[in-house]
Amino acid sequence: KIEYGTNVILIDEERGKRHMTKLREGLRFTTQYGFIEHDEIVKILDGGIITASKGVRYRVLKPTYIDYIMNIKRRAQIIYPKDTAAMLMEGDVYPGLNVLEAGVGQGALSIAILRALGGKGTLTSYELREDFAGDAARFIAEFYGEAPNHDIQVRNIYESIDGEYDRVLLDLPEPWQVVPHLEKGLRQGGLLVCYLPTILQVKSCVDALREAGYYDEISSFELIKRPWKVDGRSVRPEMWTFNHSAFLITCRKVEK
Ligand code: SAM
């Protein structure tokens, strides 16, 4: 069942349009096909069908991580799920690790890290802007729930890092400014992952990592998701697709 206070995805069977709405007692979801009472939606099981007042059927779904991230109002640029998946896998994030992340933005990556940690280990998140940190904390509480192993700090990672981490994941404009602080902030054998929209940022960051002299396996790449249309005999890549999100850099800290 999908409960009051949580979000639901409603997909109309006419046009296949997806809507995300938060369920509240006594409220109505209004659409061009009439309305649906929230009090009726809570009676439907995940994956079930509900009919709007003008007779159009809607699929009722509990939002997945991707639904949630792609349907929220954006304030900061979020990380696309294909890249989030790669950051967790290439960064080898698993339960029990102590992970540092900066910046937090809207907290999309924070949620993915917390899920990968599975309640074991810790996530420390540095964010420059107090308003973003507050919004992200609310967003994380809404989708992920209580996270006693998560600490969001309003601070500038370009100035310093407190403590030593197993993994550092960076999504901010100048990660090369963080490299000097990783001398103490990332443990030997630990992994660093950076997410960067432009290739000149990649160059500056890789140059700084090489200059530091204690990073091995420095790898820069991008991931392209190319959807295909599969419709009868028409089987081909979609004509219009989202092309570029960002580049990733991964590397491992080793003895100098
Ligand atoms: N990864 C985030 C997500 O999944 O929602 C999006 C991060 S957003 C692109 C970049 C964030 O980094 C912004 O919120 C910005 O305020 C923060 N930021 C920029 N420079 C920073 C710094 N020096 N220290 C900490 N946070 C910083």
Side-chain angles (χ1 to χ4, degrees):
K1 278 233 172 114
I2 300 160
E3 289 161 9
Y4 290 117
T6 67
N7 282 286
V8 67
I9 298 283
L10 296 167
I11 310 167
D12 73 72
E13 284 194 348
E14 288 289 315
R15 294 175 309 154
K17 200 158 180 254
R18 299 169 88 88
H19 310 264
M20 189 166 83
T21 189
K22 192 181 266 186
L23 294 178
R24 301 234 182 267
E25 251 179 291
L27 284 192
R28 268 179 175 181
F29 168 73
T30 46
T31 133
Q32 65 186 113
Y33 305 118
F35 59 86
I36 305 173
E37 303 286 356
H38 287 198
D39 297 345
E40 296 303 315
I41 300 173
V42 291
K43 296 179 190 159
I44 307 291
L45 291 177
D46 188 10
I49 293 282
I50 195 160
T51 305
S53 57
K54 290 189 183 165
V56 170
R57 285 162 39 112
Y58 277 75
R59 175 77 55 208
V60 177
L61 294 170
K62 214 175 160 128
T64 62
Y65 174 83
I66 292 181
D67 286 323
Y68 209 74
I69 299 304
M70 300 314 282
N71 280 288
I72 49 163
K73 266 205 194 114
R74 291 194 198 158
R75 293 189 67 187
Q77 184 59 48
I78 51 140
I79 297 186
Y80 283 87
K82 71 175 172 73
D83 296 317
T84 313
M87 288 179 85
L88 296 178
M89 195 47 67
E90 299 275 343
D92 196 36
V93 178
Y94 60 84
L97 293 177
N98 293 314
V99 180
L100 174 66
E101 164 208 38
V104 179
Q106 245 160 314
L109 180 62
S110 319
I111 292 173
I113 297 170
L114 286 167
R115 284 179 140 199
L117 291 177
K120 298 196 187 94
T122 63
L123 172 62
T124 305
S125 305
Y126 289 3
E127 168 55 51
L128 203 54
R129 286 182 51 169
E130 199 168 353
D131 55 338
F132 278 11
D135 286 353
R138 279 186 289 280
F139 178 59
I140 293 162
E142 185 179 290
F143 186 73
Y144 177 83
E146 284 270 303
N149 61 336
H150 187 202
D151 178 22
I152 302 185
Q153 300 180 17
V154 179
R155 57 186 282 176
N156 185 348
I157 197 169
Y158 297 160
E159 286 173 0
S160 62
I161 291 175
D162 283 338
E164 190 190 53
Y165 295 88
D166 301 303
R167 303 288 183 263
V168 176
L169 278 66
L170 301 176
D171 175 12
L172 34 68
E174 299 184 359
W176 50 92
Q177 289 206 49
V178 182
V179 173
H181 310 307
L182 295 177
E183 188 165 356
K184 291 207 174 108
L186 179 62
R187 73 154 164 88
Q188 186 174 305
L191 291 159
L192 168 69
V193 182
C194 304
Y195 179 89
L196 291 164
T198 74
I199 201 66
L200 290 182
Q201 290 171 298
V202 172
K203 173 163 170 50
S204 300
C205 188
V206 170
D207 285 351
L209 292 168
R210 292 227 170 93
E211 203 173 306
Y214 42 75
Y215 291 98
D216 205 0
E217 300 170 9
I218 301 175
S219 162
S220 308
F221 59 94
E222 71 175 312
L223 294 166
I224 296 173
K225 180 176 167 183
R226 190 157 78 127
W228 281 56
K229 183 183 170 203
V230 182
D231 189 4
R233 302 293 300 165
S234 173
V235 181
R236 55 159 175 80
E238 291 284 1
M239 294 288 192
W240 306 108
T241 61
F242 180 75
N243 195 24
H244 174 72
S245 53
F247 302 99
L248 296 180
I249 305 173
T250 60
C251 60
R252 186 148 201 183
K253 192 170 170 200
V254 291
E255 199 176 342
K256 205 164 183 171

